[in-house]
Amino acid sequence: MKPVYVTEYARSAFTRAHPSKPGVDAFEGTRADSLLAQLIDHTLERAPYDGADVEELAIGCALPVNDQWNFGGRYPVFLSGLADSCASRTIEQQCGSGLAAIRSAALSVASGAADIVMAGGYENMTRVPMGPALFEAGTLTVPDLPADAYDARVVMNMGLTAEALAEKGAISRAAMDAFACASHQKASAAEDDGFFDGERISLQTADGDAVAKDACIRPDTDPERLASLRSVFKEDGVISAGNSSPLTSGAAVMTLMSEEAVKRTGATPRARILACVDRGTKPELMGQGVVPACEKALALAGLGVDDIDAWEINEAFSAVPLYAAKALGIDEDRINRRGGALALGHPLGATGIRLAGTLMRILEAEGGRYGCATACIGGGQGIALVLERVAA
């Protein structure tokens, strides 16, 4: 298999989504495919190649319905500077969709099927909300699950799976709130020192307004304030709005290249993809899926937990990275050093691209060699990606 290199990465600002309150989400009037197309064009304007050189576009989207349905990935191709010859596909793997798009793109390059491929992801959670609305409309349906095998009430409610994970891992409400508070503090510090300016691109709304800043970071968050929030999913539970990721809209894109394409175009290789693996787990404990995925990805890369300099573990809920840290023996100081989804937000299909892109930039900033980005997946899965920084 050929080596696969990451050369470019960019994302939109992440906005706070709210399906029932107009005016909250700056992207509420803007289709998600438009956001991705703008990011693609921004990349092409600055890259040492043009749209005709990009052979494939893989798009991650957790809910590819309504105006997030994209005709097999064609709409972002039509809306951007990519050529008609660019093949496209949409990948739906819930919160793992963005990482799954990277995996699809990487496999094309590694196999020799393509030399320059883009992986993108998007979600507008105001325009296409997750949860009951799509089921009530009949857009999404649920089969009759075997009652003797699965608790459907828990399987279909991510908050209840987080409650179950916290119970299994003996993770306290105080520990989860403290982790959430630290996420906001780290993200706020990264914002103040300009770290996110190196990846976040100002995009235009349908009304022509520019959106340049992440909307969910709360620098004044403290443990006392978080402790005052009621549990959301279960009476006397431990999962609150404060230790759960907020509904978010946004998009992200990454370019992957073969060694031959890097040499031909003069692009700068920034990281090499060593492994990308997904694994299934018990759906009622979907948050634990990151553990077997990381274990397999590290084994494929020939690495151990202690070899990883930086981890990006998606903060769908505080319980997920806390459980993974316990199960894998990860030093929490190496996890989400610039904050995570609790503070930045979690636009489902875009999150995996952000995890990998931010991880790459952290390795660059800190001189680390190896990094692992991972996310749990609704329905009982996990996905993990291992990167190696390419030294300048």
Side-chain angles (χ1 to χ4, degrees):
M1 301 289 275
K2 296 183 176 182
V4 181
Y5 295 97
V6 180
T7 59
E8 285 88 29
Y9 157 62
R11 69 171 175 91
S12 72
F14 287 174
T15 58
R16 182 174 290 276
H18 205 305
S20 61
K21 287 188 178 180
V24 172
D25 189 348
F27 286 143
E28 68 181 14
T30 307
R31 290 172 58 108
D33 48 19
S34 170
L35 299 178
L36 180 58
Q38 290 183 61
L39 287 173
I40 291 169
D41 285 344
H42 174 272
T43 299
L44 293 175
E45 287 168 7
R46 290 154 180 80
Y49 53 86
D50 59 33
D53 295 317
V54 180
E55 297 162 275
E56 296 181 14
L57 171 65
I59 301 169
C61 179
L63 291 167
V65 298
N66 297 346
D67 67 32
Q68 288 184 171
W69 181 76
N70 56 32
F71 205 26
R74 299 311 285 166
Y75 290 164
V77 174
F78 300 159
L79 293 169
S80 71
L82 295 176
D84 294 343
S85 57
C86 179
S88 63
R89 67 191 65 91
T90 300
I91 298 171
E92 184 272 289
Q93 200 173 8
Q94 294 298 286
C95 299
S97 299
L99 284 169
I102 295 175
R103 179 185 55 202
S104 174
L107 287 172
S108 286
V109 174
S111 68
D115 283 320
I116 303 177
V117 180
M118 285 185 169
Y122 62 59
E123 212 82 35
N124 187 312
M125 298 181 75
T126 293
R127 297 174 67 87
V128 184
M130 66 182 299
L134 294 176
F135 289 99
E136 291 171 0
T139 305
L140 302 178
T141 61
V142 184
D144 292 330
L145 298 176
D148 59 342
Y150 304 111
D151 183 345
R153 181 183 67 93
V154 176
V155 169
M156 300 304 297
N157 186 317
M158 297 304 100
L160 289 178
T161 70
E163 289 279 1
L165 186 69
E167 181 177 354
K168 179 181 179 182
I171 303 169
S172 70
R173 168 70 184 266
M176 288 188 285
D177 287 349
F179 189 91
C181 184
S183 182
H184 283 277
Q185 291 171 344
K186 289 184 287 187
S188 180
E191 183 70 83
D192 290 344
D193 68 20
F195 177 81
F196 294 126
D197 294 338
E199 64 185 58
R200 185 180 54 204
I201 307 303
S202 176
L203 299 185
Q204 299 292 314
T205 69
D207 295 328
D209 297 324
V211 180
K213 293 293 184 182
D214 298 317
C216 300
I217 302 172
R218 297 182 181 275
D220 59 345
T221 297
D222 58 59
E224 292 75 21
R225 181 174 300 181
L226 293 180
S228 70
L229 299 175
R230 66 179 180 84
S231 60
V232 177
F233 302 100
K234 179 181 176 182
E235 188 175 353
D236 299 322
V238 292
I239 305 301
S240 72
N243 56 44
S244 308
S245 58
L247 300 179
T248 319
S249 298
V253 70
M254 177 175 281
T255 303
L256 279 59
M257 285 191 181
S258 67
E259 191 170 21
E260 294 84 352
V262 167
K263 292 176 179 177
R264 182 176 73 249
T265 64
T268 301
R270 301 171 65 183
R272 184 163 69 98
I273 294 178
L274 301 183
C276 188
V277 172
D278 52 8
R279 282 292 180 270
T281 192
K282 186 174 176 61
E284 293 95 330
L285 289 164
M286 68 96 189
Q288 71 180 3
V290 300
V291 175
C294 287
E295 290 173 337
K296 183 62 175 180
L298 291 176
L300 283 177
L303 300 171
V305 168
D306 292 340
D307 294 314
I308 302 300
D309 299 297
W311 296 78
E312 283 292 311
I313 304 176
N314 189 39
E315 298 172 357
F317 303 91
S318 289
V320 176
L322 288 172
Y323 182 90
K326 278 188 176 184
L328 294 170
I330 304 170
D331 183 345
E332 286 186 32
D333 290 341
R334 289 185 286 156
I335 298 175
N336 302 353
R337 288 180 174 159
R338 301 302 194 276
L342 292 164
L344 295 171
H346 180 18
L348 309 177
T351 287
I353 309 290
R354 187 204 68 77
L355 291 169
T358 298
L359 174 66
M360 176 180 71
R361 297 189 61 246
I362 288 172
L363 293 174
E364 290 173 336
E366 299 181 358
R369 182 176 181 182
Y370 297 115
C372 182
T374 183
C376 58
I377 299 172
Q381 297 189 82
I383 186 167
L385 173 78
V386 179
L387 292 178
E388 179 182 20
R389 179 178 64 90
V390 176

